[in-house]
Amino acid sequence: MTMRVHLGGHLSWYDPGKRAWLEFAEPGPIALLELVRRLGVPPAEIAVATVNRRAVDLETAVAGDEDTVEFFTAVGGG
Amino acid sequence: MRYGYSGKILRVDLATHKVWTETLSEEFYRLYPGGKALAAAILLQELAPGVDPLGPDNILILANGLLTGAPFSTATRFSAVARSPLTGGFGESEAGGFWGPELKLAGWEAIVMTGRSAEPVYLWIKDDQAEIRDARHLWRDDPEEAQAVIRQETGEKLARVLQIGLGAENLVRYGSLTNELRHFNGRSGMGAVMGSKHVKAVAVRGSGKYLDAAAEAPPLSEMGRRLAKAVKEHPSSWDLQVRGTPGLTAGLDAAGILPTRNFRQGSFEGVDGLRWETYEKELLSGRRSCFACAVRCKREVKVDDRYQVSDSYGGPEYETVAGFGSNCGIDDLQAVAKANELCNRYTMDSISASSAISFAMECFEHGLIGPKETGGLDLRFGNAGAMVACVEMIARREHIGDLLAEGTRRAAEAIGGDAPLFAMHVKGQELAMHDPRGKVGVGLGYAINEAGADHLTAVHDPMLANPDSLSFKGAQPLGITEALPPRELSARKAANYALMENWNSFERAIGLCFFGPTPRSFIPVDDVLTAVTAASGWEISAEDLLRIGERATNLARLFNVREGFTRGDDTLPERLFQPLENGALAGASIPREEFEQAMTALYQLKGWDPLTTVPTRERLAELELEWAADLVGVPRGQ
């Protein structure tokens, strides 16, 4: 049972392997803030979070097994 | 060349085929150190009011910035400025690539073209020599062919060629300029202006070295080496290198502000077909850079599948992916890449072209136009083949393409009925693919910008929303103190916008790319100051840099005031005051009253009369622009 996690934009820079997509193997519900802490991604760099394509509140949302969680940065133009 | 600028301007009279040199004083250059600033000063002084933008009396200015060609990443940009055939107001567009730096190394800061040649010509510049050459044999040639012929004729394999293709030759009002086939002055119709003057190309080769001319070369050399490494050490510039702007698509969809079906919606059910992972799999063939730039944000593409896409004209940026993709209801990235290739081959701004087509699609679905007008195309949202065919029609001015080549504002007026409600433009220039309903400061920029809707007038609200973010911290040395929510529309937001508009305007004057300096990317304010001082010998502060940007914007505003623009022109398309139909921000709109209040606050912050939008004498005096106030007739005691 794994969770798929996407580090969009420059968030993948924080992953040691610079991965944009990764499998998160720890089962059970996990708060997104805890998830990003474990992934080493600064919450301040996250502008949008989604769980299974639905926008959620990073501060309060929880994800579980087989969910797809995506984090995106602020888009500043370009 | 003395310092990072020579002060030399190449004057070209196309009617008589005469060329001559003018040298600007250091006093002039300190106030207007190139790019938008220098060009705006010349245009305001020399262009008579009311001239036909596509007539012989318009003036086309190509201007480098002080730092264009400096040997560090992102110092590559030059400006194209004229009265815009799209808006009738101040027209400007910046491009990177190699042409601007080459012009600098040939010893020139700018080229000012007046008049119209009786026959097609190209301008050939080799260091301090310039001549006008016959281009009748090149007219109608694709840029790739024309570039090869010009390089052969000049005997310079590395001649850098700035030129136009079929669309600009046919005076599509959003005709663009291209250099090296992959870099574009896209906005404001500057290619159409060059086409109207019968100038096919401006080719240049220079043998100078920027460092030989700099006031203090070592800091620039050291900065070049250090920034080349820093690109990979900053998350934003690293991401630009790995994905470029096409990496933005999925995040904007998740945020609910991916323009979809002519800005009716903020989320696209077919976004998976457009996101970076698909781009990488179906299109990507490589990466390229501009002159001396380690960011390497340009994508290369090649397709031989559902569409054949040439690898000669570069890959679609985010704006083009969203413009021909979600905003036309199309999820086929190969079709988007083909439309991008055609826009680049024919030198037409892909933002305006795609917006014109999404506008036409909405008109088609409402029965305002039909197969008779479209030449038989079933021009509905989602029809990728019709979309690609429509790009061809615009360039060739066939069927509905002839009308869409005039821009959405004129097309809507001609079609009538509800069509003006579907035309997504400000002052006649089509919106970029950023929806202000999710980042309202972008809306202030769209509305107030003298050249019409433009997404690069200031950094977008989300980058200044979190006080702990890299981007917010990067903006603090410029004076940003308050982190504000992206949808807060207030006097505080207007203050943040005004400050960042000055910074972006400065970047356009100095020749730096938006993807270089903070807060968008990796070059801190201190390094920008060091570069300016090393290039020029000037002792200068961050406030001075912002003032350069503000001065340039005031010149552009005065240009528009003289052309009759009013506060009523500083507004947004009606649709943005209506709710988004879907996505994370479904139901969100721009509150009209708060928008007007924020605009009033913005004028006051700028020192402009909120009723007329005319800069006050006092503000213009502070900016050392009394001459411009006199020229335009700004009332005293205002």
Side-chain angles (χ1 to χ4, degrees):
Chain A
M1 305 294 276
T2 55
M3 182 188 300
R4 293 189 76 218
V5 179
H6 176 49
L7 300 177
H10 70 248
L11 299 179
S12 54
W13 183 86
Y14 295 98
D15 179 66
K18 301 288 186 277
R19 295 170 297 174
W21 286 93
L22 48 105
E23 307 279 326
F24 197 73
E26 187 165 332
I30 183 170
L32 296 199
L33 274 179
E34 173 61 15
L35 178 60
V36 297
R37 190 191 66 77
R38 292 192 197 179
L39 294 173
V41 175
E45 296 303 312
I46 298 172
V48 180
T50 67
V51 176
N52 300 327
R53 299 293 178 96
R54 285 184 168 276
V56 296
D57 184 348
L58 177 66
E59 301 288 329
T60 58
V62 172
D65 296 345
E66 299 185 2
D67 282 342
T68 298
V69 181
E70 298 193 69
F71 299 107
F72 297 100
T73 57
V75 173
Chain B
M1 188 189 286
R2 183 186 177 218
Y3 302 148
Y5 61 96
S6 64
K8 277 174 57 182
I9 305 287
L10 178 63
R11 294 276 183 170
V12 181
D13 182 340
L14 292 160
T16 61
H17 285 201
K18 288 183 179 172
V19 297
W20 68 98
T21 303
E22 177 186 345
T23 304
L24 300 174
S25 68
E26 177 164 356
E27 291 72 30
F28 182 93
Y29 209 73
R30 285 186 77 128
L31 291 173
Y32 319 103
K36 172 186 177 181
L38 183 150
I42 293 175
L43 194 73
L44 188 67
Q45 287 183 66
E46 299 188 12
L47 188 70
V51 304
D52 177 0
L54 295 177
D57 293 333
N58 202 357
I59 298 173
L60 178 61
I61 303 167
L62 308 169
N64 275 329
L66 170 68
L67 294 177
T68 308
F72 66 87
S73 293
T74 76
T76 66
R77 310 286 281 186
F78 71 98
S79 299
V81 168
R83 188 180 186 206
S84 168
L86 199 54
T87 69
F90 183 77
E92 69 162 310
S93 188
E94 280 71 32
F98 294 80
W99 187 86
E102 195 73 25
L103 185 71
K104 176 81 81 167
L105 301 185
W108 302 96
E109 295 305 322
I111 301 171
V112 180
M113 288 188 261
T114 56
R116 170 188 284 160
S117 175
E119 301 286 352
V121 295
Y122 73 90
L123 183 61
W124 166 234
I125 301 165
K126 176 76 182 293
D127 290 324
D128 60 354
Q129 300 298 310
E131 62 179 291
I132 293 174
R133 291 187 168 190
D134 186 359
R136 283 175 293 181
H137 58 304
L138 300 174
W139 204 252
R140 305 296 180 199
D141 276 2
D142 280 345
E144 187 174 17
E145 296 158 14
Q147 179 172 272
V149 172
I150 288 170
R151 285 176 172 171
Q152 185 180 36
E153 288 180 358
T154 59
E156 291 283 355
K157 290 181 181 174
L158 288 177
R160 304 300 186 179
V161 182
L162 179 75
Q163 59 172 318
I164 58 171
L166 182 67
E169 290 172 11
N170 281 340
L171 306 184
V172 173
R173 286 184 183 269
Y174 39 88
S176 62
L177 300 166
T178 179
N179 77 87
E180 296 295 295
L181 311 181
R182 292 167 172 81
H183 308 276
F184 303 90
N185 302 84
R187 310 238 66 192
S188 290
M190 297 298 98
V193 174
M194 197 156 104
S196 75
K197 294 184 173 301
H198 295 158
V199 175
K200 175 70 176 178
V202 181
V204 60
R205 186 76 176 120
S207 57
K209 289 186 172 58
Y210 193 99
L211 286 179
D212 289 346
E216 210 181 340
L220 288 171
S221 296
E222 185 276 329
M223 186 180 298
R225 288 190 293 272
R226 181 162 47 81
L227 291 181
K229 292 179 184 171
V231 166
K232 291 182 188 297
E233 294 164 1
H234 191 288
S236 291
S237 47
W238 173 84
D239 183 46
L240 286 166
Q241 183 175 82
V242 173
R243 300 182 185 87
T245 60
L248 305 177
T249 311
L252 286 167
D253 184 75
I257 47 174
L258 179 68
T260 300
R261 294 184 181 84
N262 203 26
F263 281 84
R264 291 202 313 245
Q265 301 162 330
S267 180
F268 183 43
E269 72 280 3
V271 69
D272 282 353
L274 303 176
R275 59 188 292 164
W276 170 250
E277 291 83 350
T278 309
Y279 195 113
E280 190 172 33
K281 180 182 169 189
E282 294 202 6
L283 305 183
L284 189 69
S285 62
R287 293 171 173 82
R288 282 208 185 204
S289 75
C290 296
F291 173 84
C293 185
V295 177
R296 296 174 65 81
C297 73
K298 311 300 285 187
R299 305 303 87 166
E300 292 286 289
V301 301
K302 183 172 176 59
V303 179
D304 185 11
D305 189 3
R306 298 189 296 281
Y307 291 86
Q308 277 71 51
V309 180
S310 165
D311 59 357
S312 295
Y313 292 97
E317 300 283 347
Y318 159 72
E319 299 296 330
T320 314
V321 170
F324 286 120
S326 56
N327 210 35
C328 287
I330 288 166
D331 63 1
D332 184 345
L333 204 42
Q334 293 188 15
V336 170
K338 185 63 188 178
N340 177 71
E341 179 216 298
L342 294 176
C343 281
N344 293 354
R345 181 189 294 270
Y346 299 143
T347 62
M348 305 187 300
D349 175 26
S350 62
I351 294 175
S352 285
S354 62
S355 188
I357 293 174
S358 60
F359 157 79
M361 287 175 160
E362 190 160 2
C363 288
F364 190 93
E365 292 198 347
H366 281 78
L368 295 172
I369 57 174
K372 183 181 170 191
E373 287 81 14
T374 64
L377 291 180
D378 185 30
L379 199 56
R380 296 176 191 282
F381 287 112
N383 188 338
M387 178 273 287
V388 172
C390 198
V391 177
E392 285 274 3
M393 285 181 178
I394 293 171
R396 299 181 188 284
R397 281 185 169 273
E398 295 171 348
H399 305 293
I400 191 69
D402 190 36
L403 188 58
L404 299 180
E406 294 294 295
T408 52
R409 180 175 65 181
R410 287 177 174 81
E413 289 166 356
I415 292 169
D418 284 340
L421 295 174
F422 309 152
M424 302 301 289
H425 70 87
V426 175
K427 301 183 180 76
Q429 176 156 276
E430 289 74 13
L431 265 59
M433 295 301 127
H434 296 272
D435 194 321
R437 284 170 286 194
K439 35 187 180 181
V440 294
V442 174
L444 296 176
Y446 281 169
I448 204 165
N449 185 44
E450 286 71 25
D454 187 316
H455 60 298
L456 296 177
T457 59
V459 71
H460 296 189
D461 315 48
M463 299 205 85
L464 302 180
N466 191 318
D468 296 322
S469 66
L470 291 172
S471 48
F472 185 88
K473 290 175 181 172
Q476 284 178 310
L478 296 171
I480 292 290
T481 58
E482 284 195 287
L484 302 173
R487 298 198 68 246
E488 177 179 321
L489 190 48
S490 63
R492 298 193 307 170
K493 180 61 69 71
N496 276 4
Y497 173 81
L499 203 157
M500 297 315 302
E501 183 195 73
N502 289 341
W503 181 240
N504 278 34
S505 180
F506 159 74
E507 290 174 358
R508 291 177 176 204
I510 213 76
L512 289 178
C513 176
F514 185 63
F515 291 157
T518 190
R520 178 62 178 86
S521 198
F522 70 113
I523 304 178
V525 175
D526 281 351
D527 274 348
V528 176
L529 282 166
T530 299
V532 170
T533 298
S536 65
W538 304 336
E539 288 301 321
I540 201 161
S541 67
E543 290 74 23
D544 294 329
L545 303 186
L546 293 167
R547 184 174 290 250
I548 287 168
E550 185 179 3
R551 185 178 295 116
T553 302
N554 274 264
L555 288 169
R557 173 62 44 165
L558 288 172
F559 183 92
N560 276 10
V561 166
R562 191 171 64 179
E563 295 295 345
F565 284 70
T566 67
R567 176 158 177 171
D569 295 298
D570 288 352
T571 189
L572 294 170
E574 175 61 27
R575 176 156 291 167
L576 298 182
F577 298 109
Q578 306 302 323
L580 278 160
E581 291 179 0
N582 73 357
L585 289 181
S589 62
I590 292 184
R592 201 182 304 267
E593 193 172 336
E594 290 173 24
F595 170 76
E596 292 299 337
Q597 289 170 351
M599 289 293 289
T600 295
L602 184 52
Y603 295 126
Q604 289 168 336
L605 283 162
K606 284 169 167 277
W608 298 357
D609 184 319
L611 295 176
T612 65
T613 82
V614 178
T616 59
R617 281 260 170 192
E618 292 71 21
R619 191 75 197 111
L620 292 172
E622 289 168 13
L623 294 168
E624 301 178 68
L625 291 176
E626 293 95 336
W627 66 267
D630 292 340
L631 187 69
V632 177
V634 174
R636 296 184 184 278
Q638 216 184 350

